[in-house]
Amino acid sequence: MMGDRRVDQAALFYEFSLERHVPADHLLRSIDRFVDLDGVRAHLRPYYSSTGRPSIDPELLIRMLLVGYCFGIRSERRLCEEVHLNLAYRWFCRLGLDGDVPDHSTFSKNRHGRFRDSDLLRLLFETVVRRCIEEGLVGGAGFAVDASLIKADANRQSGTDGANGLDPEVSSRAVDEYLAVLDDAAFGAATPVTPKYLAPADPASRWTGANGGMAFYAYSTNYLIDLDNAVIVDVEASTAIRQAEVTAAKTMIVRAQECFDLHPERLAADTAYGSAEMLAWLVDEQAIEPHIPVFDKSARTDGTFSRDDFTYDPEQDLYVCPAGKHLRKYRRAFAVPRTGVLKDKTVRYRASKRDCGPCPMKSRCCPNAPARKVPRSVHEAARDKARAIAKTEAYVTSRRQRKKVEMLFAHLKRILKLDRLRLRGPCGARDEFLLAATAQNLRKLAKLVPTPSPIMAT
């Protein structure tokens, strides 16, 4: 029998529980256990006036931003619409059924003002990391570091010649931020090379073709993760070049020790972090084992002997060539001792012409020079330690575990939809990277920490 037609009739009273309508296995229920915003209001109090109209609750704005980054809602206009309609979002934001959703412009006003001035998003990220540590998700023995390119909000076809600089009449918030970071080691001071192109809309972004396809303007998001459960211990924004990414890695390692008292025993990374200076910093200054391939271009392709064919004798401080002859820094004593260190932080070891001239191996060693020279970095001891570690089983394990950071970048771009920035300037990049890393750690907590079972009444 066909049922009666349902007619919408307005009732005088409704009994509705928002708590009951949010499923028990909803992601926001799991995340809500780990969102601690008790200190937000006290942290922001100095940045609010004591007079005037009451402001939008900053806790509400933070909860809405977490919803947006956890579910890949990139537009703040759309985020306001979704929170208005979605019951689970309303429950998480503590809005109830009749709470008003703030206008999207409120986010911009607070972001460019109070949130950045107080570094609130950094505080939020560190609060979540501390919760991960308390829950036992961070071992602290092994870390991995890597960077990934994120496209900037700049049209690749509207750039100007970097050698000519920006138009003096161009003025915007992104330009002001670009001028402010010209001396920053992670941005303008990362390299003396003049950028090929500058984007007037976001000049701090870097023109790069590192992905192998068409070049574009980009920033780098740098992750330092713990290898046990791939928890993001720190995140840093930088310009999209290798030198800046190495600098960001050092900053994150030092900051993790200062903020969380985390000092890893080993660090896994790719060859971009295998320069002599970086390896020496890890080994000599930080006492961290570098599970990193050595960045080495000493191998020759013309069939002649490479530096690896020469044996270094640390006791006598000399190299021994394949013919058994000695290569030394100097062949006479000086009244004032000399280090022999050149501007490129290398030392040249030279063979004698009397040894190389009649040598039968000269055609395979130095066919176009009277004697052979072998350069040695002042940080070669750290490089040798990295080469020795690369022959161990622990290194093989670290190389396999290092893929966890690549998976986080894939999750960032494919699930959280952060393959292109929405905000401009270095500050905008920092804001987006901090919020995305916070969302990833919250999702990690929700996945790995089980929900406590309710206690049944007896």
Side-chain angles (χ1 to χ4, degrees), residues 100-216:
D100 293 331
V101 177
D103 188 75
H104 66 88
S105 62
T106 308
F107 292 99
S108 298
K109 293 177 181 178
N110 282 274
R111 181 190 305 113
H112 297 308
R114 303 181 184 97
F115 288 2
R116 287 182 184 171
D117 293 342
S118 64
D119 207 8
L120 177 64
L121 300 183
R122 168 65 61 178
L123 175 68
L124 176 65
F125 170 77
E126 292 177 354
T127 301
V128 175
V129 174
R130 287 191 180 91
R131 185 61 185 270
C132 292
I133 296 173
E134 293 172 2
E135 296 291 342
L137 301 185
V138 178
F143 281 3
V145 66
D146 204 356
S148 183
L149 296 179
I150 305 295
K151 292 181 180 179
D153 185 25
N155 188 348
R156 61 179 303 276
Q157 297 179 345
S158 62
T160 62
D161 189 352
N164 297 330
L166 292 172
D167 187 345
E169 298 181 357
V170 175
S171 178
S172 66
R173 183 182 289 110
V175 172
D176 294 340
E177 291 182 13
Y178 164 70
L179 297 176
V181 298
L182 285 178
D183 296 329
D184 193 326
F187 288 95
T191 175
V193 178
T194 302
K196 186 175 182 181
Y197 299 110
L198 286 176
D202 191 355
S205 61
R206 194 83 179 189
W207 178 258
T208 177
N211 283 349
M214 297 178 64
F216 54 90

Side-chain angles (χ1 to χ4, degrees), residues 7 21 43 53 66 98-99 155-156 187 190 195 237 261 309 357 386 438:
V7 180
H21 277 71
H43 182 75
R53 294 186 303 169
L66 289 177
D98 56 353
N155 188 348
R156 61 179 303 276
F187 288 95
D261 195 24
D309 297 315
T438 302

Side-chain angles (χ1 to χ4, degrees), residues 4 26 153 217 318 387 425:
D4 296 334
H26 196 281
D153 185 25
Y217 295 103
L318 55 82
R387 293 187 183 100

Side-chain angles (χ1 to χ4, degrees), residues 13-22 82-101:
F13 302 99
Y14 288 95
E15 182 181 352
F16 184 88
S17 172
L18 190 60
E19 176 76 24
R20 184 165 53 87
H21 277 71
V22 179
E82 294 289 338
V83 172
H84 177 72
L85 295 173
N86 192 298
L87 293 179
Y89 296 171
R90 279 186 165 273
W91 172 85
F92 181 79
C93 296
R94 309 295 192 260
L95 282 173
L97 285 175
D98 56 353
D100 293 331
V101 177

Side-chain angles (χ1 to χ4, degrees), residues 7 9 29 33 36 51 61 87 96 110 113 156 174 192 216 218 226 275 311 313 339-340 342-343 356-357 410:
V7 180
Q9 295 181 349
R29 277 199 180 274
R33 298 176 290 151
D36 182 8
T51 61
L61 298 179
L87 293 179
N110 282 274
R156 61 179 303 276
F216 54 90
D226 183 82
S275 63
T311 305
D313 186 346
T339 61
L342 304 178
K343 291 182 179 180
C356 291

Side-chain angles (χ1 to χ4, degrees), residues 120-441:
L120 177 64
L121 300 183
R122 168 65 61 178
L123 175 68
L124 176 65
F125 170 77
E126 292 177 354
T127 301
V128 175
V129 174
R130 287 191 180 91
R131 185 61 185 270
C132 292
I133 296 173
E134 293 172 2
E135 296 291 342
L137 301 185
V138 178
F143 281 3
V145 66
D146 204 356
S148 183
L149 296 179
I150 305 295
K151 292 181 180 179
D153 185 25
N155 188 348
R156 61 179 303 276
Q157 297 179 345
S158 62
T160 62
D161 189 352
N164 297 330
L166 292 172
D167 187 345
E169 298 181 357
V170 175
S171 178
S172 66
R173 183 182 289 110
V175 172
D176 294 340
E177 291 182 13
Y178 164 70
L179 297 176
V181 298
L182 285 178
D183 296 329
D184 193 326
F187 288 95
T191 175
V193 178
T194 302
K196 186 175 182 181
Y197 299 110
L198 286 176
D202 191 355
S205 61
R206 194 83 179 189
W207 178 258
T208 177
N211 283 349
M214 297 178 64
F216 54 90
Y217 295 103
Y219 286 93
S220 284
T221 178
N222 300 267
Y223 277 6
L224 180 69
I225 73 165
D226 183 82
L227 290 176
D228 282 3
N229 292 291
V231 171
I232 304 170
V233 176
D234 205 350
V235 58
E236 184 75 5
S238 71
T239 190
I241 57 174
R242 184 178 64 86
Q243 298 93 318
E245 294 167 359
V246 172
T247 301
K250 294 180 180 179
T251 301
M252 292 188 293
I253 291 172
V254 173
R255 190 162 53 202
Q257 185 172 4
E258 293 175 350
C259 294
F260 313 115
D261 195 24
L262 294 176
H263 187 76
E265 298 174 2
R266 63 188 185 278
L267 178 71
D270 57 25
T271 314
Y273 301 86
S275 63
E277 292 80 3
M278 180 63 178
L279 295 176
W281 183 81
L282 290 172
V283 174
D284 301 332
E285 299 185 29
Q286 300 296 316
I288 299 175
E289 290 186 356
H291 289 222
I292 305 172
V294 177
F295 187 79
D296 190 358
K297 292 187 176 182
S298 63
R300 296 189 173 186
T301 58
D302 58 358
T304 59
F305 293 136
S306 299
R307 186 174 58 194
D308 292 343
D309 297 315
F310 293 75
T311 305
Y312 180 69
D313 186 346
E315 295 182 359
Q316 302 184 60
D317 190 21
L318 55 82
Y319 273 96
V320 180
C321 74
K325 304 299 181 180
H326 292 174
L327 287 76
R328 304 177 184 273
K329 289 191 292 186
Y330 300 110
R331 294 191 174 273
R332 65 185 180 89
F334 293 94
V336 179
R338 301 182 180 182
T339 61
V341 179
L342 304 178
K343 291 182 179 180
D344 61 353
K345 295 184 179 181
T346 60
V347 178
R348 298 289 192 273
Y349 291 81
R350 298 172 175 83
S352 172
K353 293 182 181 179
R354 290 177 296 179
D355 292 335
C356 291
C359 180
M361 296 184 179
K362 188 175 187 305
S363 60
R364 296 185 57 198
C365 185
C366 52
N368 300 320
R372 180 62 186 261
K373 300 177 184 178
V374 174
R376 178 180 175 84
S377 171
V378 295
H379 306 302
E380 197 66 28
R383 287 155 59 95
D384 289 340
K385 182 170 183 177
R387 293 187 183 100
I389 293 174
K391 300 177 182 178
T392 63
E393 289 295 329
Y395 176 84
V396 177
T397 302
S398 295
R399 297 301 296 167
R400 182 175 64 252
Q401 292 178 330
R402 193 191 67 82
K403 296 179 181 178
K404 293 180 180 181
V405 69
E406 301 286 355
M407 296 171 65
L408 283 172
F409 289 141
H411 180 269
L412 176 72
K413 297 177 181 180
R414 297 177 64 91
I415 306 300
L416 303 190
K417 311 298 184 184
L418 189 57
D419 56 348
R420 182 186 177 95
L421 291 174
R422 186 176 52 81
L423 306 179
R424 292 175 177 174
C427 291
R430 291 191 188 104
D431 291 348
E432 293 220 55
F433 295 158
L434 281 168
L435 281 168
T438 302
Q440 287 181 294
N441 279 344

